[in-house]
Amino acid sequence: YATAQQQSSDAELATKLSNPVSAMISVPFQFNWDHEFGPDRTGHKLYLNIQPVIPTRISSDWNLISRVIVPVVNQRIPFIGDGSQSGIGDITGEFFFSPSQPRADGVIWGAGPAVLIPTSVDFISADKWAVGPTAVVLRQASGWTYGALVNHLWSVGGSGTNDISSTSFQPFVAHTTKDAWTFNLDAESTYDWRAHQWTLPFNATVSKLFRIGKQPISMGVSARYYADSPSNGPHGWGARFVVTLLFPE
């Protein structure tokens, strides 16, 4: 059984994990399933997002938090190409310059550039380079974390036929218990300014931080519901399973 001191340490790590700009290395492996793609809603997509978060101390007052998302996709969407594709999707990098200490009122924030790197995989990649700003603001108190993450990307080149102008807005609220359970609600909304279309999934997640030997690991499951999406996009319910390796200092 975990001692009270060990439980307190695990709860602290779980709380840090709810902070997108925490100065702690973490490597989430996020397995996702969505369905009801296409005009007849018979398509589905399985994808694994590998999302390492690496902090770098650039001065006594500032950190640079690098967040990279590498999607590995397998999809069967009958109206696209030959109906079935797999490969690595476009890679997103977000780089937050963040104060090493919260403000006096407890607010934590970070801001910096974001970039989309095309992988040119047929029917999975947008084949467009894109750049823009990204920012996060949050507050943590008494086991609660609440805030929002936002970015905007504009295409700046590439061979794809559709230009990119999209805003991602992700409000979130999470509560971590003293025995390192975390309950999280968020919306991973995206607005496509070219098509004037929202993609709006809501996620409810339950996760638990534990240890294998000395290695802290978080495991979580999510249910996702699409309140809005393009006509050819995912609809209804989806699911997520996340395994995160933590490497605290």
Side-chain angles (χ1 to χ4, degrees):
Y1 294 96
T3 64
Q5 183 178 7
Q6 183 69 68
Q7 283 189 337
S8 176
S9 174
D10 288 352
E12 181 181 353
L13 287 179
T15 301
K16 285 184 176 181
L17 193 59
S18 296
N19 174 4
V21 288
S22 175
M24 175 180 65
I25 297 174
S26 62
V27 185
F29 296 87
Q30 186 190 88
F31 301 85
N32 295 271
W33 172 78
D34 289 316
H35 70 140
E36 294 190 17
F37 285 83
D40 56 2
R41 300 197 177 184
T42 58
H44 66 266
K45 178 186 288 189
L46 292 165
Y47 54 105
L48 164 65
N49 287 334
I50 304 169
Q51 304 180 176
V53 179
I54 301 174
T56 303
R57 182 176 290 276
I58 57 177
S59 75
S60 58
D61 297 324
W62 290 90
N63 294 325
L64 172 62
I65 312 297
S66 303
R67 290 164 46 90
V68 178
I69 303 174
V70 182
V72 182
V73 180
N74 180 273
Q75 63 186 25
R76 182 164 182 79
I77 303 177
F79 76 102
I80 294 180
D82 62 2
S84 182
Q85 301 86 29
S86 61
I88 297 176
D90 295 341
I91 298 167
T92 303
E94 295 179 307
F95 305 92
F96 299 91
F97 294 93
S98 179
S100 56
Q101 298 296 325
R103 293 190 337 187
D105 57 4
V107 170
I108 299 166
W109 66 275
V115 60
L116 183 71
I117 302 170
T119 58
S120 299
V121 176
D122 287 346
F123 307 110
I124 292 176
S125 170
D127 275 338
K128 284 286 189 180
W129 290 83
V131 297
T134 186
V136 63
V137 62
L138 66 139
R139 193 171 185 272
Q140 294 187 307
S142 303
W144 288 91
T145 301
Y146 50 93
L149 178 69
V150 64
N151 70 41
H152 185 88
L153 291 169
W154 291 276
S155 54
V156 292
S159 60
T161 57
N162 296 318
D163 287 336
I164 295 171
S165 179
S166 66
T167 299
S168 173
F169 179 62
Q170 300 180 19
F172 54 85
V173 58
H175 180 64
T176 300
T177 67
K178 292 180 179 179
D179 51 357
W181 286 90
T182 298
F183 303 89
N184 184 86
L185 290 172
D186 67 74
E188 297 178 342
S189 61
T190 302
Y191 187 72
D192 183 341
W193 291 90
R194 302 291 183 183
H196 304 288
Q197 175 65 60
W198 282 100
T199 301
L200 181 54
F202 291 94
N203 298 293
T205 306
V206 179
S207 58
K208 177 71 168 74
L209 191 140
F210 61 97
R211 294 175 186 259
I212 297 179
K214 293 184 178 181
Q215 176 64 54
I217 298 173
S218 175
M219 295 180 67
V221 293
S222 300
R224 175 166 52 249
Y225 179 74
Y226 282 88
D228 195 7
S229 67
S231 58
N232 289 330
H235 293 82
W237 292 90
R240 174 177 293 167
F241 174 64
V242 186
V243 178
T244 304
L245 305 179
L246 290 79
F247 300 95
E249 294 180 359

